[in-house]
Amino acid sequence: MKRLSLPSWIVHYQRQWLSGDLTAGLIVTVMLIPQSLAYAMLAGMPPQVGLYASVLPLIAYALFGTSMTLAVGPVAVASLMTATALAPIAAAGSADYVALGVLMAFMSGLMLFAAGLLRLGFLAYFLSHPVISGFISGSAVLITIGQLKSLLGIPLPSGNAMDTLLALVRSIDQIKPVTAGIGIATLVFLLFARKHLSPLLKRFGIAPKAAELLSRLAPMAAVIVATAFVAATGADRASGVSIVGAVPAGLPSLALPALQWHQMQSLWLPALLISLVGFVESVSVAQSLALKRGQRIDPDRELLGIGAANMASALSGGYPVTGGFARSVVNFSAGAHTPAAGVVSAVLMAAVIAGMTGWFHFLPHAVLAATIIVAVTALIDVAALKEAWHYDKADATSLLLTFAGVLLLGVEEGIVLGVALSLAVLVWRSSHPHMAVVGRVPGTEHFRNIERHRVETLPGLVALRVDESLYFANAQLLENKIEGLLQNESGTRCILLILSAVNQLDTTALGTLTELEKSLASRGIALQLSEVKGPVLDRLRSTPLGQRMKDRIFLSTHQAFLAFAGSPSLSTDSPREA
Amino acid sequence: MKRLSLPSWIVHYQRQWLSGDLTAGLIVTVMLIPQSLAYAMLAGMPPQVGLYASVLPLIAYALFGTSMTLAVGPVAVASLMTATALAPIAAAGSADYVALGVLMAFMSGLMLFAAGLLRLGFLAYFLSHPVISGFISGSAVLITIGQLKSLLGIPLPSGNAMDTLLALVRSIDQIKPVTAGIGIATLVFLLFARKHLSPLLKRFGIAPKAAELLSRLAPMAAVIVATAFVAATGADRASGVSIVGAVPAGLPSLALPALQWHQMQSLWLPALLISLVGFVESVSVAQSLALKRGQRIDPDRELLGIGAANMASALSGGYPVTGGFARSVVNFSAGAHTPAAGVVSAVLMAAVIAGMTGWFHFLPHAVLAATIIVAVTALIDVAALKEAWHYDKADATSLLLTFAGVLLLGVEEGIVLGVALSLAVLVWRSSHPHMAVVGRVPGTEHFRNIERHRVETLPGLVALRVDESLYFANAQLLENKIEGLLQNESGTRCILLILSAVNQLDTTALGTLTELEKSLASRGIALQLSEVKGPVLDRLRSTPLGQRMKDRIFLSTHQAFLAFAGSPSLSTDSPREA
């Protein structure tokens, strides 16, 4: 019932929030117009599809989502994934292609919404930061390479990044000079604007925050100047500059997408991957912005929000959407207090679609390509690689392999590879546990690694601490370790396993311990346990092994040492030093 | 170089081992003759292929393996997997089919041998016991259902277990009475022999061990009686009893299999799965037998042994082999001391192939089917399910799902599902860590869960123990837990994380901790750590977070409590009781 009621930001809306929400909504709209046209081009969609995806989804998210500042709509990575999924089954820009994109948004929305109802938000955590970072950076490079053809006005094959680059070198003489001039000029201007426009505006006396926000309007300025240039010079006909052309005016009619079983069968996997990636991207942005204001977001309700946004996109002829990084940050800095800012954007976008689509006629594709390139290169995160490399080589390797996987194998393959790598690293680490033979620190009840510390041991007793849960992939290594220790230490009468870091002990490990205990017993060696955690001990006690060992399980390693020495009042002098 | 020298059992061979090896070799051969014919039938191969797979592989394993008692050759599960892999690409029993089986043995041998050289033996541990158990039991049921057609003499579709059973019910009127009579009589006799023959023989005054071994010869007795019956009555022509027919005599000529790229492409995955399953099965048998005599086996050299056996099988026209359970146990009990027993079997099998294949002409397929059914039903392990169910529901569920997967989806799908399930359970468990707020046990330096024990806490300090390594899939839950605690406990000035069970802390978890520390600091709450393990601390110290927190990382929780209380001589009375 709670979910059907009005969201609390509407119920508790305060008038003083309005100016922030209005300003933010306006600024985001000015960013959204070129971005929605550009990302539609990246997705292989006609321009109006990008515009349609920028209206209802914002309202749907405002009703279901929990982030106060997330800006939903077309984004680069989801657009790339849409193009990748649809390219093999329909011709880019065709009516079939658009219908499939709408269907994919609908399926993705359903999946996300269902996952939200099932409270599966935690699944987002199964993508590790390094994998996400490698995936986003790889996608950004792939997108940049893919946009070179529009930027320079030459036809290049889509697909593998290396092939595209090689084809570029071979057809370098086919570059259309005017197109390339417009594209490169826009690129240089936008790169300059990203770095230097805000300081420049500040020097002209504009308040720092306003300067920061104004600099975000550079893409719109480029669009206006370039459109005016082409309209005035007729460069589209004279020099073959590719332009957006006629964009249908008028709001889209609402309709359920045609659900065809065989199409859904070929789209379910891409829809799942786009849902996963879109959700993870969206939640990370929403979370980092929420933390800055001490707010919380709820991953399960975020699933509902992004799911509703995608279904709304599909109903209004749009393609897959999610929360985007750049627009959300601007929305946040422009003072958005609530999702009302998104509603403002949606209303403004609707007005644009209803009456102003003619203005985009002469907009050159090269400008959109430059917009995309500048937006996505900001996503390439070299710092994350450096940090991971410094902190953890395995994570850095996952990042690099995911990055390479996206570039060399493809977007979908890259993300699947990334997830597989995350899990492989996890399993690999826990399958090679750290184990240390320990002795007592003189005069204390503390036990430490005999190789690192000066400690006391008891002859005949080997105390082994296992620093990992025991389960199928590492149980055998424990047995091997013990057999190895026994070969080096003759005269061992007792093996004491210290299980302070063993949080789980699965059936396979139980089997291995059972066999080990028998095998040791047949050689006259007793197996003992100490510091077994409550939940592990509870289950162990109910097994035949637990029954057999019940007098050999000690609360603390200290007690086990005392028992082995055969005297409850053992002085700290009696054990020999190792 | 060491690998190229003679195995140590040859170098150190002692004359008193000879009688045991000879006896065991002879008894295993008598088991091996009907089994190799039966498993060839199960694999869809002509009978001689099973015989060929029972000569050279035994010698190759004797040279490279490390188990003293493993009996290598055709086995039920590998035969089923061979049939499953080849059925879609060639007609069972055809020359192409045989050539593909030989190629598969070769590829599997190469993979195993290469894995041995790369020391990948530990990979065997990535199949958990419950998954192996579910897989073997599922395969056994699948094999049993598949053999009903030969047992009863009716044609049934191969494939899905349910379909086969339904078809059986529909064509129950087509049962051939004489075939079914022979089959069921053999089945009943073999089931009786398995349970009651050994006690019966003992009652007739035969020594227990001899009685046990003699009872293992029942299948051979059934073969002889049934063959004689069909030869005498002409039931093959008169009543349509399906018989083995002409088996080519003479040893196979040695030849490298024809390596065709497109065939290898379609066989690599089945060859990989058969290698994995065969190796795991073989190593478990070898290991459990070795443990009984206090011997060790080396998984890496076992890979070489089983790999060499499969390559030898391929060179001599055989199909995939591995170490089998039943024959190995008999080999062990019959007193085999060394792989010389296997060499004895190989020589005897060669003699059979050279001159006695004519004897199998009238052997009814129904007898072979009964042999297979009795052998594989012994593999169905209900006890393992019961134990797992009692000890660990998640493991029991893996077992059941793998079992169901084999029956409903197929053999290869079943094993892939099983591996995926093992990993999913592992990840699921570690992604939901146990966390406990702890307090001090009065009068000690020990800290325990405040919900389970009567302990002291300090107002303003929340001490949280995390019972799992922190990594991408659970780091966010830690943050959620802390935010939840803060909502319930107003006035918190310090969060102390006790990391005694944290064996790893990956880049994602580091990022979460970094964000958490900042977010807590902005609310005036200090984050502290205690009992950080050496390797975790070493890495943490090199990060910005570690630098910032360096005065807030305590060796023990006790020290952290003392520091928070602001007095190094804090008496145990001063903290208030929780």
Side-chain angles (χ1 to χ4, degrees), chain A residues 126 391 395 427 467 503 505 507, chain B residues 391 395 427 467 503 505 507:
Chain A
F126 283 82
Y391 179 69
D395 276 348
V427 172
D467 283 353
N503 305 308
L505 200 153
T507 309
Chain B
Y391 180 70
D395 276 349
V427 171
D467 283 353
N503 305 307
L505 200 153
T507 309

Side-chain angles (χ1 to χ4, degrees), chain B residues 11-195:
Chain B
V11 178
H12 303 105
Y13 200 84
Q14 295 176 26
R15 188 179 284 180
Q16 73 263 31
W17 296 344
L18 193 61
S19 74
D21 285 341
L22 279 173
T23 317
L26 178 66
I27 292 179
V28 167
T29 308
V30 179
M31 284 179 80
L32 189 51
I33 293 170
Q35 287 199 346
S36 58
L37 295 169
Y39 293 149
M41 178 177 90
L42 169 55
M45 295 286 169
Q48 67 273 16
V49 174
L51 298 171
Y52 298 164
S54 308
V55 182
L56 283 196
L58 283 65
I59 294 173
Y61 180 80
L63 293 175
F64 289 94
T66 54
S67 164
M68 292 296 111
T69 48
L70 190 72
V72 173
V75 303
V77 174
S79 300
L80 172 67
M81 293 180 80
T82 303
T84 308
L86 301 187
I89 34 181
S94 66
D96 272 358
Y97 190 92
V98 174
L100 286 167
V102 169
L103 178 61
M104 198 151 131
F106 190 75
M107 290 171 67
S108 165
L110 270 184
M111 287 177 182
L112 289 163
F113 204 87
L117 293 178
L118 295 170
R119 306 187 158 274
L120 300 180
F122 68 89
L123 285 180
Y125 309 139
F126 284 82
L127 278 178
S128 72
H129 286 189
V131 163
I132 299 171
S133 172
F135 176 74
I136 301 268
S137 296
S139 300
V141 172
L142 206 59
I143 291 171
T144 301
I145 293 171
Q147 291 306 310
L148 292 177
K149 60 173 183 276
S150 302
L151 190 81
L152 304 173
I154 43 176
L156 290 174
S158 56
N160 189 300
M162 285 313 291
D163 293 349
T164 311
L165 283 180
L166 285 175
L168 173 65
V169 173
R170 262 184 261 111
S171 40
I172 199 94
D173 54 324
Q174 295 174 38
I175 287 181
K176 289 189 188 145
V178 179
T179 304
I182 294 174
I184 291 171
T186 310
L187 193 65
V188 170
F189 166 67
L190 291 177
L191 288 172
F192 168 83
R194 185 162 79 190
K195 222 169 174 180

Side-chain angles (χ1 to χ4, degrees), chain A residues 9 65 92 99-100 113 116 121 167 211 214 258 300 323 331 400 405 433 450 467 534 539 556:
Chain A
W9 66 265
L100 286 167
F113 205 87
L214 276 175
D300 293 324
N331 196 34
L400 283 172
I450 60 168
D467 283 353
R539 292 206 298 176
S556 71

Side-chain angles (χ1 to χ4, degrees), chain B residues 57 62 133 163 253 357 403 513:
Chain B
S133 172
D163 293 349
S253 50
T357 53
F403 178 81
L513 277 187

Side-chain angles (χ1 to χ4, degrees), chain A residues 503-507 510 533-544 546, chain B residues 388 390-395 429:
Chain A
N503 305 308
Q504 309 274 355
L505 200 153
D506 79 350
T507 309
L510 177 71
K533 299 210 165 190
V536 176
L537 188 57
D538 289 348
R539 292 206 298 176
L540 191 60
R541 279 201 181 115
S542 70
T543 66
Chain B
H390 174 67
Y391 180 70
D392 186 337
K393 299 283 183 290
D395 276 349
R429 282 182 175 151

Side-chain angles (χ1 to χ4, degrees), chain A residues 260-282:
Chain A
Q260 296 201 318
W261 184 241
H262 73 276
Q263 291 177 338
M264 292 176 76
Q265 273 188 308
S266 63
L267 286 185
W268 77 266
L269 185 60
L272 183 68
L273 292 176
I274 215 170
S275 303
L276 178 69
V277 171
F279 175 62
V280 169
E281 200 182 346
S282 186

